[in-house]
Amino acid sequence: MEEKPATNKNRALMCLSLLLLTDIALFLLHLNNYYLRPLFKPPEFFLLLYNVVFFVIILILLKRIYTLIISGFFLAIFLLFALIYYSLSEYKYEYFQSPKETQTLIVKYSMASMGEYSYTYEFYKKSLFGLLMKKMKGQEYQDQILNFEDYQTAEQVLGMDDPEWLSEKEIIFHTLAGDKKIKIK
């Protein structure tokens, strides 16, 4: 018996299924404090772009060209604003290897200025062969500098230039406000 080739509707349904499965998987990972390691910057934009590309492929497979033309204009504007937004609010990432290179600590940080400088830091452990990173809850760090003359870079505020590893699972950052010990769990 001959197999029928997949129709465009079947291919569109397969694309939609793949899109839903990956989005559900990412959502479940997020609920468990796992995140994709950022390979491209800004990472949130590329996840959004991934969804839009699948949406366009599905419309093409369903031969909804008019819908694609009309929605394409709005999608392009939406993607442009999303790129600008994510680029302006982009976090930076710094990686620290333990002395025996058994652990990798990822520091996600940003700096905002609204009359004072506000610094935020989140700490992650690299996992699943480096594809994911797990957020270490309860170890976040924030600092504020009120005087513009005391301005420091985000790296200087946390003391990223000279961290001290106590063991393979403990690191101390010598911050401007004192020592910050991070335990990799």
Side-chain angles (χ1 to χ4, degrees), residues 22-23 25-27 29-30 33-40 43-44 46-47 50 93 95 106 108 124-128 130-135:
T22 56
D23 283 346
L26 289 173
F27 178 73
L29 286 170
H30 178 75
N33 294 315
Y34 284 94
Y35 302 89
L36 287 175
R37 200 174 115 226
L39 301 175
F40 306 105
E44 298 88 358
F46 285 98
L47 287 175
Y50 170 81
Y93 296 86
Y95 298 83
I106 302 169
K108 176 181 171 183
Y124 298 83
K125 174 185 174 181
K126 190 164 79 169
S127 62
L128 192 63
L131 296 175
L132 298 176
M133 55 186 198
K134 181 172 175 53
K135 185 174 184 180

Side-chain angles (χ1 to χ4, degrees), residues 96 121 141 153-164 172-176:
F96 297 93
Y121 303 89
Y141 179 72
T153 65
E155 293 84 0
Q156 291 170 327
V157 170
L158 186 64
M160 288 189 211
D161 56 337
D162 191 30
E164 180 182 342
I172 292 181
F173 289 99
H174 304 291
T175 71
L176 294 179

Side-chain angles (χ1 to χ4, degrees), residues 19 50-60 67 71 75:
L19 179 63
Y50 170 81
N51 282 276
V52 169
V53 166
F54 264 91
F55 176 71
V56 168
I57 290 170
I58 290 168
L59 287 178
I60 290 171
T67 306
S71 63
L75 284 174

Side-chain angles (χ1 to χ4, degrees), residues 96-105 125 136 164-171 182-185:
F96 297 93
Q97 289 280 1
S98 64
K100 295 180 183 175
E101 297 183 2
T102 61
Q103 300 289 330
T104 301
L105 177 71
K125 174 185 174 181
M136 296 187 294
E164 180 182 342
W165 286 91
L166 300 176
S167 68
E168 288 296 299
K169 298 215 179 235
E170 289 184 326
I171 184 171
I182 304 296
K183 292 182 181 181
I184 301 174
K185 300 174 186 174

Side-chain angles (χ1 to χ4, degrees), residues 118-155:
S118 179
Y119 304 89
T120 58
Y121 303 89
E122 295 175 351
F123 301 96
Y124 298 83
K125 174 185 174 181
K126 190 164 79 169
S127 62
L128 192 63
F129 309 111
L131 296 175
L132 298 176
M133 55 186 198
K134 181 172 175 53
K135 185 174 184 180
M136 296 187 294
K137 289 285 194 176
Q139 298 199 53
E140 298 85 7
Y141 179 72
Q142 292 183 339
D143 202 348
Q144 276 189 336
I145 295 179
L146 302 173
N147 189 352
F148 283 116
E149 290 138 10
D150 295 336
Y151 168 74
Q152 301 285 321
T153 65
E155 293 84 0

